[in-house]
mmCIF file of all heavy atoms in Angstrom:
data_model
loop_
_atom_site.group_PDB
_atom_site.id
_atom_site.type_symbol
_atom_site.label_atom_id
_atom_site.label_comp_id
_atom_site.label_asym_id
_atom_site.label_seq_id
_atom_site.Cartn_x
_atom_site.Cartn_y
_atom_site.Cartn_z
ATOM 1 N N ASP A 83 -6.361 -17.573 14.690
ATOM 2 C CA ASP A 83 -7.681 -18.046 15.101
ATOM 3 C C ASP A 83 -7.923 -17.657 16.550
ATOM 4 O O ASP A 83 -7.017 -17.735 17.374
ATOM 5 C CB ASP A 83 -7.742 -19.579 14.947
ATOM 6 C CG ASP A 83 -9.119 -20.142 15.114
ATOM 7 O OD1 ASP A 83 -9.675 -20.029 16.239
ATOM 8 O OD2 ASP A 83 -9.678 -20.687 14.149
ATOM 9 N N ALA A 84 -9.144 -17.245 16.874
ATOM 10 C CA ALA A 84 -9.454 -16.781 18.198
ATOM 11 C C ALA A 84 -9.151 -17.869 19.245
ATOM 12 O O ALA A 84 -8.813 -17.559 20.417
ATOM 13 C CB ALA A 84 -10.899 -16.344 18.327
ATOM 14 N N ALA A 85 -9.272 -19.151 18.874
ATOM 15 C CA ALA A 85 -9.029 -20.234 19.831
ATOM 16 C C ALA A 85 -7.579 -20.294 20.299
ATOM 17 O O ALA A 85 -7.271 -20.909 21.302
ATOM 18 C CB ALA A 85 -9.424 -21.546 19.201
ATOM 19 N N GLU A 86 -6.711 -19.596 19.600
ATOM 20 C CA GLU A 86 -5.295 -19.571 19.976
ATOM 21 C C GLU A 86 -4.986 -18.576 21.092
ATOM 22 O O GLU A 86 -3.886 -18.567 21.649
ATOM 23 C CB GLU A 86 -4.433 -19.251 18.753
ATOM 24 C CG GLU A 86 -4.539 -20.288 17.649
ATOM 25 C CD GLU A 86 -3.768 -19.885 16.413
ATOM 26 O OE1 GLU A 86 -2.570 -20.252 16.336
ATOM 27 O OE2 GLU A 86 -4.317 -19.194 15.510
ATOM 28 N N LEU A 87 -5.971 -17.706 21.432
ATOM 29 C CA LEU A 87 -5.766 -16.704 22.484
ATOM 30 C C LEU A 87 -6.873 -16.829 23.522
ATOM 31 O O LEU A 87 -8.010 -17.213 23.198
ATOM 32 C CB LEU A 87 -5.793 -15.303 21.879
ATOM 33 C CG LEU A 87 -4.763 -14.960 20.792
ATOM 34 C CD1 LEU A 87 -5.016 -13.558 20.282
ATOM 35 C CD2 LEU A 87 -3.372 -15.092 21.332
ATOM 36 N N ASN A 88 -6.574 -16.493 24.767
ATOM 37 C CA ASN A 88 -7.614 -16.461 25.770
ATOM 38 C C ASN A 88 -8.313 -15.105 25.767
ATOM 39 O O ASN A 88 -7.905 -14.187 24.997
ATOM 40 C CB ASN A 88 -7.070 -16.780 27.163
ATOM 41 C CG ASN A 88 -5.991 -15.791 27.613
ATOM 42 O OD1 ASN A 88 -6.129 -14.581 27.405
ATOM 43 N ND2 ASN A 88 -4.964 -16.295 28.255
ATOM 44 N N GLU A 89 -9.342 -14.922 26.574
ATOM 45 C CA GLU A 89 -10.129 -13.675 26.522
ATOM 46 C C GLU A 89 -9.309 -12.454 26.871
ATOM 47 O O GLU A 89 -9.456 -11.399 26.221
ATOM 48 C CB GLU A 89 -11.316 -13.814 27.478
ATOM 49 C CG GLU A 89 -12.397 -14.794 27.042
ATOM 50 C CD GLU A 89 -13.612 -14.740 27.948
ATOM 51 O OE1 GLU A 89 -13.709 -13.844 28.789
ATOM 52 O OE2 GLU A 89 -14.488 -15.641 27.784
ATOM 53 N N GLU A 90 -8.437 -12.555 27.829
ATOM 54 C CA GLU A 90 -7.610 -11.416 28.207
ATOM 55 C C GLU A 90 -6.664 -11.036 27.066
ATOM 56 O O GLU A 90 -6.460 -9.866 26.760
ATOM 57 C CB GLU A 90 -6.825 -11.718 29.471
ATOM 58 C CG GLU A 90 -5.966 -10.564 29.919
ATOM 59 C CD GLU A 90 -5.223 -10.851 31.227
ATOM 60 O OE1 GLU A 90 -5.487 -11.908 31.852
ATOM 61 O OE2 GLU A 90 -4.352 -10.042 31.600
ATOM 62 N N GLU A 91 -6.114 -12.052 26.422
ATOM 63 C CA GLU A 91 -5.196 -11.797 25.284
ATOM 64 C C GLU A 91 -5.936 -11.148 24.127
ATOM 65 O O GLU A 91 -5.413 -10.245 23.450
ATOM 66 C CB GLU A 91 -4.529 -13.096 24.862
ATOM 67 C CG GLU A 91 -3.486 -13.613 25.826
ATOM 68 C CD GLU A 91 -2.983 -14.982 25.484
ATOM 69 O OE1 GLU A 91 -3.764 -15.816 24.929
ATOM 70 O OE2 GLU A 91 -1.791 -15.263 25.740
ATOM 71 N N LEU A 92 -7.175 -11.590 23.890
ATOM 72 C CA LEU A 92 -7.949 -10.983 22.808
ATOM 73 C C LEU A 92 -8.277 -9.542 23.118
ATOM 74 O O LEU A 92 -8.250 -8.680 22.209
ATOM 75 C CB LEU A 92 -9.248 -11.787 22.589
ATOM 76 C CG LEU A 92 -9.144 -13.108 21.811
ATOM 77 C CD1 LEU A 92 -10.422 -13.879 21.885
ATOM 78 C CD2 LEU A 92 -8.726 -12.838 20.364
ATOM 79 N N ARG A 93 -8.578 -9.218 24.370
ATOM 80 C CA ARG A 93 -8.850 -7.804 24.736
ATOM 81 C C ARG A 93 -7.585 -6.970 24.539
ATOM 82 O O ARG A 93 -7.657 -5.816 24.033
ATOM 83 C CB ARG A 93 -9.338 -7.764 26.183
ATOM 84 C CG ARG A 93 -10.808 -8.130 26.379
ATOM 85 C CD ARG A 93 -11.287 -7.686 27.747
ATOM 86 N NE ARG A 93 -10.564 -8.331 28.818
ATOM 87 C CZ ARG A 93 -10.902 -9.484 29.368
ATOM 88 N NH1 ARG A 93 -11.981 -10.160 28.953
ATOM 89 N NH2 ARG A 93 -10.185 -10.002 30.359
ATOM 90 N N THR A 94 -6.466 -7.535 24.960
ATOM 91 C CA THR A 94 -5.200 -6.809 24.820
ATOM 92 C C THR A 94 -4.896 -6.577 23.338
ATOM 93 O O THR A 94 -4.467 -5.471 22.938
ATOM 94 C CB THR A 94 -4.042 -7.592 25.492
ATOM 95 O OG1 THR A 94 -4.292 -7.737 26.855
ATOM 96 C CG2 THR A 94 -2.722 -6.884 25.274
ATOM 97 N N LEU A 95 -5.108 -7.578 22.528
ATOM 98 C CA LEU A 95 -4.878 -7.481 21.102
ATOM 99 C C LEU A 95 -5.775 -6.395 20.497
ATOM 100 O O LEU A 95 -5.319 -5.552 19.697
ATOM 101 C CB LEU A 95 -5.110 -8.811 20.404
ATOM 102 C CG LEU A 95 -4.943 -8.825 18.894
ATOM 103 C CD1 LEU A 95 -3.551 -8.382 18.483
ATOM 104 C CD2 LEU A 95 -5.256 -10.219 18.328
ATOM 105 N N HIS A 96 -7.053 -6.424 20.855
ATOM 106 C CA HIS A 96 -7.996 -5.446 20.311
ATOM 107 C C HIS A 96 -7.532 -4.030 20.674
ATOM 108 O O HIS A 96 -7.562 -3.118 19.841
ATOM 109 C CB HIS A 96 -9.402 -5.723 20.887
ATOM 110 C CG HIS A 96 -10.468 -4.869 20.325
ATOM 111 N ND1 HIS A 96 -10.745 -3.598 20.789
ATOM 112 C CD2 HIS A 96 -11.337 -5.085 19.306
ATOM 113 C CE1 HIS A 96 -11.738 -3.092 20.082
ATOM 114 N NE2 HIS A 96 -12.123 -3.966 19.187
ATOM 115 N N ASN A 97 -7.102 -3.814 21.882
ATOM 116 C CA ASN A 97 -6.664 -2.520 22.361
ATOM 117 C C ASN A 97 -5.400 -2.072 21.588
ATOM 118 O O ASN A 97 -5.252 -0.859 21.231
ATOM 119 C CB ASN A 97 -6.401 -2.503 23.841
ATOM 120 C CG ASN A 97 -7.688 -2.628 24.637
ATOM 121 O OD1 ASN A 97 -8.774 -2.325 24.168
ATOM 122 N ND2 ASN A 97 -7.561 -3.088 25.882
ATOM 123 N N SER A 98 -4.516 -3.014 21.363
ATOM 124 C CA SER A 98 -3.295 -2.670 20.627
ATOM 125 C C SER A 98 -3.612 -2.268 19.201
ATOM 126 O O SER A 98 -3.050 -1.313 18.663
ATOM 127 C CB SER A 98 -2.341 -3.874 20.624
ATOM 128 O OG SER A 98 -1.775 -4.090 21.899
ATOM 129 N N LEU A 99 -4.476 -3.019 18.550
ATOM 130 C CA LEU A 99 -4.857 -2.669 17.177
ATOM 131 C C LEU A 99 -5.574 -1.323 17.115
ATOM 132 O O LEU A 99 -5.366 -0.576 16.184
ATOM 133 C CB LEU A 99 -5.750 -3.783 16.597
ATOM 134 C CG LEU A 99 -5.093 -5.155 16.444
ATOM 135 C CD1 LEU A 99 -6.135 -6.178 16.006
ATOM 136 C CD2 LEU A 99 -3.957 -5.109 15.450
ATOM 137 N N LYS A 100 -6.414 -1.051 18.115
ATOM 138 C CA LYS A 100 -7.079 0.255 18.155
ATOM 139 C C LYS A 100 -6.086 1.411 18.288
ATOM 140 O O LYS A 100 -6.295 2.516 17.807
ATOM 141 C CB LYS A 100 -8.093 0.279 19.324
ATOM 142 C CG LYS A 100 -9.474 -0.215 18.962
ATOM 143 C CD LYS A 100 -10.065 0.648 17.849
ATOM 144 C CE LYS A 100 -11.490 0.245 17.496
ATOM 145 N NZ LYS A 100 -12.449 0.609 18.547
ATOM 146 N N ALA A 101 -4.974 1.144 19.017
ATOM 147 C CA ALA A 101 -3.937 2.160 19.199
ATOM 148 C C ALA A 101 -3.222 2.494 17.906
ATOM 149 O O ALA A 101 -2.501 3.483 17.817
ATOM 150 C CB ALA A 101 -2.945 1.711 20.251
ATOM 151 N N LEU A 102 -3.438 1.628 16.866
ATOM 152 C CA LEU A 102 -2.791 1.872 15.584
ATOM 153 C C LEU A 102 -3.758 2.490 14.569
ATOM 154 O O LEU A 102 -3.473 2.477 13.366
ATOM 155 C CB LEU A 102 -2.236 0.539 15.047
ATOM 156 C CG LEU A 102 -1.149 -0.119 15.881
ATOM 157 C CD1 LEU A 102 -0.771 -1.483 15.308
ATOM 158 C CD2 LEU A 102 0.080 0.785 16.008
ATOM 159 N N THR A 103 -4.865 3.000 15.008
ATOM 160 C CA THR A 103 -5.786 3.666 14.067
ATOM 161 C C THR A 103 -5.211 5.009 13.627
ATOM 162 O O THR A 103 -4.412 5.611 14.337
ATOM 163 C CB THR A 103 -7.178 3.901 14.742
ATOM 164 O OG1 THR A 103 -6.993 4.630 15.935
ATOM 165 C CG2 THR A 103 -7.901 2.638 15.013
ATOM 166 N N PRO A 104 -5.598 5.494 12.406
ATOM 167 C CA PRO A 104 -6.622 4.940 11.526
ATOM 168 C C PRO A 104 -6.077 3.871 10.596
ATOM 169 O O PRO A 104 -4.980 3.991 10.107
ATOM 170 C CB PRO A 104 -7.074 6.176 10.759
ATOM 171 C CG PRO A 104 -5.836 7.024 10.647
ATOM 172 C CD PRO A 104 -5.127 6.832 11.947
#
Side-chain angles (χ1 to χ4, degrees):
D83 189 295
E86 298 176 89
L87 301 177
N88 61 40
E89 289 186 11
E90 182 178 351
E91 288 173 327
L92 283 171
R93 283 195 298 271
T94 299
L95 177 59
H96 186 276
N97 291 338
S98 290
L99 295 174
K100 271 300 184 71
L102 298 175
T103 55

